[in-house]
Amino acid sequence: MANRGNFSGRIGFILAAAGSAVGLGNIWRFPYLAGTNGGAGFLLIYLVCIFTLCFPVMVGEIAIGRKVGSDAYGSYQKLGGGKWGYLGLFGILAGLFILSFYNVVAGWAFGYFLEISFGDLLDQQDFGAFFGNYVNDIGPLFLFSLAFMLITAYIVSQGIAKGIEAANKIMMPALYLILIGLIVYSLTLPNAMAGVKFYLIPDVGEITSRTIFYALCQAFFSLSLGMGALITYGSYVTKDQNIVSSAAVISIADTSVAFLAGLMVFPLVFSLGAEPGQGPKLIFVILTQAFQNMGPIVGRIVGGSFFLLICFAALTSTISLLEVPAAYLVDQKKFPRKAVVWSLAVGIFVLGLPSLFSQGIVPALNKLPVHNSPDFLSFVSDMCDISLTVGGCLMCFFIRYRWKMNNLNEELTLGNPSFMGSFIQKYINFTISWVCPIVLSILSVLVIIDKFFGL
Ligand code: PHE
């Protein structure tokens, strides 16, 4: 096989995979889902899902990718034969749709960065109303999301180590720093502790089946699981690396950013006397209000840099989303990388246009007759959620019944000689053989029923 490129080393891989994981999912979606689903109860279930279901799936995906050294389709096809390649294709397809709506939201964040830094956004009176108008101001948003897609394509076209890694090495640490600064600020505001309580002290009675579904889907989404992103990134990992410990670091990095985002948002929400369950507009409304309160100059600087970092976080995720279908077309169809990347970018941008137009400007896209997904963007996002949990579940079946556990163990021993016989080996084998297939099949069915019909 032609030289596909590799990550330069352990740190490069971890940063790139963590960059894929950390994104709008952590900073935009996690806080608003926690806000609408009971706060601390959601956080608790989320953490359980990460630990028991997501971490083993992540280890499995990276191992499959590294074993074969190919894209998601090629990896399943080579290890499984028969129709298993379709499982990879299913993930690739899910990735296309995720990127299509994700890029729209990234465009919103990019616009907020520009409007706060250089415009008069922070002079507004009502940030909720502003957001409602803003997402329907299609002209600029069209350009912002197009720009976002083109930047993503440029980085991916540069290849693995040069493009993807280099971008991540700068953006990830900067994101952490500003997040922590904002947490310190928000914790010093009056009534911040009410927000901390809402976020950290669970009321078990408040946990419903829907809390569990949303937490599960969010955990898969946030860790970029179930659609082949980590199979693809795993295919660029060298055999001397310890997959289990890398997966642990990636999971912890991602979970800590989501956790910190909540710790930043809820004290702000409560100190501003706002409503935690506002849905997708939560951070756009709450954060801008907080930045306004910091005064015109500080607010502009802090607010501008925060939205810029959200854009960086989103960018490291869109890079991985574009890399999945690109790797497929390069590996399987032998198309040249640059041509593949630019054509995909344009195609996916067009696929995202209905999501862009779904926030009110085209009424038919705004009120879909589907339970729980009022607009097209939410509908696509819900469908992708389903495909991620189903994809993760099928991967466990694949390992257990087709590839077989001893082959997984053998792959995981490379770069980690003490793996065999360790507690972590037993844990991963048990969760992939039993816990994940059973729990994920049941929950996937329930999630499908809930999303379509409402439980
Ligand atoms: N994990 C990313 C986020 O949290 C989104 C993503 C999902 C990226 C699936 C790649 C694959 O924002």
Side-chain angles (χ1 to χ4, degrees):
M1 181 176 292
N3 182 9
R4 306 165 65 248
N6 271 325
F7 288 115
S8 63
R10 181 174 153 84
I11 301 290
F13 166 62
I14 290 179
L15 278 175
S20 164
V22 175
L24 294 169
N26 306 60
I27 297 168
W28 163 68
R29 218 169 89 137
F30 177 84
Y32 91 68
L33 286 176
T36 31
N37 291 288
F42 181 88
L43 176 64
L44 179 69
I45 305 285
Y46 180 81
L47 293 176
V48 172
C49 290
I50 298 280
F51 192 64
T52 54
L53 303 169
C54 296
F55 171 68
V57 169
M58 180 182 287
V59 169
E61 281 200 18
I62 301 174
I64 290 174
R66 184 176 73 174
K67 172 75 194 169
V68 183
S70 184
D71 63 292
Y73 168 85
S75 299
Y76 277 120
Q77 188 59 34
K78 178 125 189 262
L79 288 183
K83 301 226 181 309
W84 280 106
Y86 286 109
L87 181 51
L89 282 185
F90 175 69
I92 293 169
L93 204 65
L96 297 179
F97 279 97
I98 294 179
L99 183 52
S100 78
F101 81 83
Y102 198 95
N103 187 58
V104 171
V105 182
W108 297 350
F110 190 45
Y112 262 56
F113 156 64
L114 295 176
E115 298 276 353
I116 290 177
S117 305
F118 310 109
D120 56 5
L121 198 159
L122 291 184
D123 301 337
Q124 300 301 317
Q125 304 288 331
D126 179 344
F127 289 106
F130 176 84
F131 182 78
N133 294 329
Y134 173 80
V135 288
N136 284 308
D137 191 3
I138 296 303
L141 290 179
F142 183 93
L143 292 181
F144 296 155
S145 52
L146 182 63
F148 212 86
M149 185 64 91
L150 295 180
I151 296 171
T152 304
Y154 174 74
I155 297 178
V156 175
S157 71
Q158 297 300 300
I160 288 307
K162 252 194 4 224
I164 298 181
E165 241 189 88
N168 278 296
K169 274 190 181 153
I170 311 168
M171 297 176 197
M172 293 287 294
L175 180 70
Y176 262 104
L177 283 182
I178 190 150
L179 206 50
I180 289 174
L182 282 172
I183 291 173
V184 172
Y185 167 78
S186 70
L187 287 178
T188 55
L189 296 175
N191 207 28
M193 281 309 134
V196 175
K197 272 203 194 112
F198 170 80
Y199 186 48
L200 294 184
I201 303 179
D203 174 355
V204 184
E206 293 259 303
I207 298 177
T208 63
S209 51
R210 191 154 298 150
T211 316
I212 300 174
F213 303 157
Y214 278 108
L216 174 75
C217 293
Q218 172 60 16
F220 265 78
F221 182 82
S222 189
L223 287 180
S224 309
L225 297 177
M227 46 71 70
L230 288 171
I231 297 183
T232 309
Y233 273 18
S235 75
Y236 304 117
V237 171
T238 50
K239 296 282 183 191
D240 57 349
Q241 289 188 47
N242 182 336
I243 292 182
V244 175
S245 71
S246 298
V249 175
I250 297 161
S251 309
I252 292 170
D254 183 68
T255 307
S256 62
V257 175
F259 176 77
L260 293 177
L263 201 55
M264 165 191 73
V265 168
F266 293 112
L268 286 178
V269 169
F270 281 77
S271 78
L272 296 170
E275 173 45 46
Q278 325 189 9
K281 64 177 191 291
L282 181 70
I283 66 154
F284 290 94
V285 174
I286 291 304
L287 289 172
T288 41
Q289 182 67 61
F291 297 139
Q292 186 183 56
N293 294 348
M294 290 178 187
I297 297 176
V298 180
R300 206 180 268 271
I301 297 172
V302 178
S305 26
F306 186 72
F307 274 97
L308 183 64
L309 279 167
I310 295 187
C311 292
F312 281 151
L315 188 59
T316 51
S317 302
T318 53
I319 289 170
S320 73
L321 283 162
L322 187 57
E323 174 61 23
V324 174
Y328 165 68
L329 292 173
V330 171
D331 287 349
Q332 302 301 322
K333 310 286 175 200
K334 310 283 177 247
F335 293 137
R337 185 171 185 91
K338 286 207 159 71
V340 158
V341 167
W342 290 105
S343 335
L344 277 171
V346 173
I348 298 170
F349 176 73
V350 173
L351 191 64
L353 289 179
S355 295
L356 180 68
F357 291 124
S358 71
Q359 300 303 301
I361 195 123
V362 178
L365 292 169
N366 187 243
K367 296 241 171 324
L368 300 183
V370 183
H371 181 82
N372 262 342
S373 311
D375 60 71
F376 190 80
L377 191 153
S378 316
F379 175 71
V380 178
S381 149
D382 282 349
M383 291 306 104
C384 292
D385 276 355
I386 294 175
S387 54
L388 298 187
T389 42
V390 171
C393 180
L394 293 176
M395 187 217 72
C396 296
F397 281 109
F398 171 79
I399 292 180
R400 178 164 179 191
Y401 293 107
R402 182 70 202 156
W403 191 31
K404 303 285 188 236
M405 208 52 81
N406 56 333
N407 289 317
L408 172 71
N409 289 335
E410 204 175 278
E411 185 62 30
L412 294 178
T413 306
L414 300 175
N416 182 7
S418 58
F419 179 69
M420 281 297 186
S422 64
F423 167 76
I424 195 77
Q425 181 219 341
K426 297 191 180 83
Y427 179 75
I428 287 173
N429 287 191
F430 177 69
T431 42
I432 292 191
S433 314
W434 295 101
V435 183
C436 298
I438 296 174
V439 176
L440 287 177
S441 338
I442 297 174
L443 285 179
S444 301
V445 172
L446 292 177
V447 169
I448 293 172
I449 298 176
D450 182 54
K451 298 257 183 200
F452 279 101
F453 310 107
L455 269 188

